Amino acid sequence: MRALKYLLVASPLIIAGCASQPSLPPPEFPGIEQSDKIVIHDQRPSSESEKEIFSLLVTSSAYAIYRMPDTATKPTGPRLLAHRAYETFPELGSQPAINVHHFVTYANLQSQLRKSSLVAGLTGPIGVAILSRQELPVGEVLTTRIDSSIFDKTAGDEEYTRAFFSAEENPEKSPVNLIYIDAEMLGQRVASRCLVPPIKDKPHLFLIEAMDMCIANHLALYSTDSAKETAAK
């Protein structure tokens, strides 16, 4: 069972930086200090910055769903949001403040880990080790605008449901990150949901890279001239 235990520990990194640990270091953000002037009013529930394993029980609907902590990335998600907003919207120079109501990341590895449990029962730890090295089906980053009230409706015992996805979004049931952003700037409040599957040509996708993609798409939802530009994919 040692291999299965290792997979349980390493799996949250499969989407955001492979369990084998890539040889390359995580990306850096030169010039990020230029956006230090942006004041971040962090109004998130404190739990959104903390790690949570919702269930280790295979039969639970919350099994293999994780909330990723702020400490998982450098910079944090809200700090990178402020920096990218500073780069995107020159208007922030005169209104240098962002209210972050929600910025939270979930990892959903249900399908893979349930399959791993089955393999463990049939073939033992060697089968699990082989499965963990298999390449995952790739997909596209999907960002949709949502109503901020979803956070109230799914708080507490229902929070893990935020990591669910539809068959249309993820037909291969690949492990994914779900990144939610709800921020107010320049007099506008926008909330978004971003699904990040394994990405083609990025076998070692760091969580901060997934966040950066979602932030770009989120900022494109603001109705300003700057935001009408095509979001980075």
Side-chain angles (χ1 to χ4, degrees):
M1 293 297 291
R2 182 177 297 177
L4 179 56
K5 290 180 180 178
Y6 171 75
L7 185 59
L8 285 170
V9 173
S11 288
L13 302 178
I14 290 175
I15 297 300
C18 195
S20 62
Q21 292 301 308
S23 57
L24 297 176
E28 296 182 354
F29 300 90
I32 193 171
E33 69 280 354
Q34 296 176 11
S35 57
D36 286 346
K37 66 177 73 175
I38 304 299
V39 178
I40 303 172
H41 298 293
D42 192 344
Q43 300 175 357
R44 297 178 296 166
S46 59
S47 61
E48 288 190 3
S49 65
E50 301 169 353
K51 179 181 178 180
E52 177 73 19
I53 301 174
F54 289 97
S55 178
L56 293 175
L57 183 63
V58 177
T59 56
S60 170
S61 58
Y63 174 67
I65 291 177
Y66 307 80
R67 188 199 308 125
M68 308 303 288
D70 276 3
T71 54
T73 64
K74 186 178 181 181
T76 65
R79 179 66 184 91
L80 184 58
L81 171 66
H83 180 60
R84 293 308 192 200
Y86 170 80
E87 292 180 325
T88 304
F89 305 131
E91 305 96 305
L92 276 176
S94 58
Q95 302 179 54
I98 296 177
N99 296 328
V100 180
H101 298 280
H102 298 277
F103 196 119
V104 59
T105 299
Y106 302 94
N108 184 335
L109 300 112
Q110 282 188 347
S111 180
Q112 183 183 33
L113 291 192
R114 280 182 172 145
K115 188 182 298 182
S116 300
S117 298
L118 176 61
V119 172
L122 296 177
T123 64
I126 293 177
V128 175
I130 291 174
L131 177 65
S132 68
R133 291 197 296 267
Q134 290 180 353
E135 291 187 4
L136 300 169
V138 299
E140 296 182 356
V141 177
L142 302 175
T143 300
T144 55
R145 186 165 185 164
I146 61 173
D147 191 317
S148 296
S149 64
I150 189 176
F151 295 104
D152 296 325
K153 295 177 181 177
T154 57
D157 292 342
E158 298 298 313
E159 183 183 356
Y160 72 92
T161 63
R162 298 176 188 173
F164 287 176
F165 51 79
S166 68
E168 291 76 18
E169 290 176 318
N170 187 17
E172 300 292 342
K173 296 183 179 180
S174 297
V176 295
N177 281 129
L178 274 297
I179 299 175
Y180 289 83
I181 305 173
D182 181 5
E184 185 177 0
M185 66 186 81
L186 301 173
Q188 299 179 68
R189 180 172 177 177
V190 174
S192 68
R193 170 185 178 272
C194 183
L195 181 147
V196 185
I199 304 296
K200 184 179 180 180
D201 300 327
K202 283 186 174 291
H204 303 306
L205 182 70
F206 286 95
L207 180 57
I208 194 66
E209 293 179 292
M211 285 181 176
D212 206 11
M213 295 175 185
C214 293
I215 287 171
N217 290 349
H218 177 84
L219 293 176
L221 298 175
Y222 289 83
S223 56
T224 69
D225 291 339
S226 300
K228 292 178 182 177
E229 299 178 2
T230 303
K233 295 293 184 180

